[in-house]
Amino acid sequence: MAETKRRQPEQQAPPVQKLWVRYAKRGRARFTSHRDFSRAFERALRRAGVPMAYSSGFNPHPRISYANASPTGAATEAEYLEIGLAQPRDPDAVRDALDSALPQGLDVLQVVVATAGSLADGLDVSEWRMSIGGPDAGVTESAVRALLDRDALEVERMTKSGLRTFDARAAIIALWVVDEHTLGLVSRHGVPLVRPDDVLQALGRVEPRFELSQPALLTRLDQGRWNGDRIVGPFDEQA
């Protein structure tokens, strides 16, 4: 019997428009995992009637590219993704429609037409707020000074590949006390990624009195490139 030719998958047309989306996870929605958010976002695209472009292959999927998703449990005001559309749409109209279609706490803040280049390539620094309880202001300030005085400080974290040891100090651009119960952090993205809770672990290593009474509440405020003085976000560069 002659071998049956395998059917080739239908080739999809490339997107006619790409949009960059900035969104937030607030309140209880900070516990939404990246997988759960992606499912909710795809449902919102359908409800909002956004004309998505699809990938080619036997299992076409909407053209969505996520960039540097925050860890589950962290709130954020600066998450980004890119969508590819089959028909051009007004970015503000897409923002309003998506924001209305998403669950409470998952909020679309801004949508713009994408520029040339990769969205993810422009996201190499984050600013965080870390709300803490336990140590008094004097102990926290002592821990911050001690960590910043170090050239390196290794911490450990359990990953899918096992226990990893890495330098938390190398990722810190700026670390400061905002008030008695709040720390500010600007950190570089790298491999492995140093997270705010890694920095809190490092503070406890340089100052034994720095002990938290409960898990810290982490909020990403901004994300982009570091220009030597401040973070320049991908939408700032379009202004």
Side-chain angles (χ1 to χ4, degrees):
M1 180 182 292
E3 183 179 347
T4 304
K5 264 191 171 181
R6 186 179 184 187
R7 180 178 62 86
Q8 293 299 308
E10 180 181 355
Q11 297 300 302
Q12 303 289 332
V16 301
Q17 184 185 46
K18 292 182 179 180
L19 300 178
W20 288 351
V21 178
R22 177 173 176 167
Y23 66 96
K25 291 196 300 182
R26 297 166 169 161
R28 293 182 62 84
R30 71 183 187 273
F31 296 109
T32 305
S33 69
H34 176 63
R35 178 175 293 182
D36 289 339
F37 172 80
S38 64
R39 290 171 177 165
F41 188 72
E42 289 190 26
R43 287 196 296 269
L45 287 167
R46 293 192 293 271
R47 289 171 183 158
V50 179
M52 292 297 295
Y54 281 77
S55 64
S56 298
F58 289 105
N59 297 296
H61 56 271
R63 290 187 178 271
I64 309 172
S65 298
Y66 297 93
N68 297 336
S70 61
T72 302
T76 175
E77 296 292 319
E79 300 300 287
Y80 291 92
L81 58 83
E82 178 184 280
I83 56 176
L85 273 58
Q87 301 171 21
R89 287 291 186 269
D90 175 66
D92 289 340
V94 172
R95 178 202 62 206
D96 293 344
L98 285 175
D99 192 49
S100 297
L102 281 166
Q104 183 177 6
L106 299 177
D107 302 316
V108 175
L109 306 180
Q110 191 175 359
V111 177
V112 301
V113 176
T115 60
S118 166
L119 175 60
D121 287 347
L123 304 175
D124 54 18
V125 170
S126 287
E127 180 180 354
W128 294 88
R129 285 293 182 272
M130 302 179 285
S131 299
I132 60 173
D136 61 35
V139 168
T140 300
E141 289 171 357
S142 173
V144 168
R145 287 195 301 269
L147 179 54
L148 293 178
D149 284 343
R150 294 289 191 96
D151 293 325
L153 199 292
E154 290 190 338
V155 297
E156 296 177 339
R157 190 201 313 147
M158 185 61 68
T159 69
K160 294 179 181 178
S161 304
L163 189 64
R164 294 285 302 271
T165 300
F166 51 93
D167 182 7
R169 175 64 183 91
I172 298 173
I173 295 174
L175 178 64
W176 67 98
V177 177
V178 177
D179 57 43
E180 184 175 1
H181 301 295
T182 313
L183 288 168
L185 169 69
V186 176
S187 59
R188 296 182 183 87
H189 303 166
V191 180
L193 178 67
V194 174
R195 306 187 309 202
D197 47 341
D198 299 320
V199 174
L200 293 172
Q201 181 187 157
L203 290 169
R205 293 203 170 191
V206 297
E207 172 53 84
R209 295 176 297 167
F210 185 84
E211 295 183 358
L212 302 185
S213 57
Q214 59 192 15
L217 175 59
L218 309 176
T219 304
R220 174 147 57 191
L221 298 181
D222 206 355
Q223 194 176 177
R225 294 184 305 104
W226 182 250
N227 71 357
D229 296 309
R230 66 181 184 90
I231 293 177
V232 180
F235 296 177
D236 297 331
E237 295 181 329
Q238 295 191 358

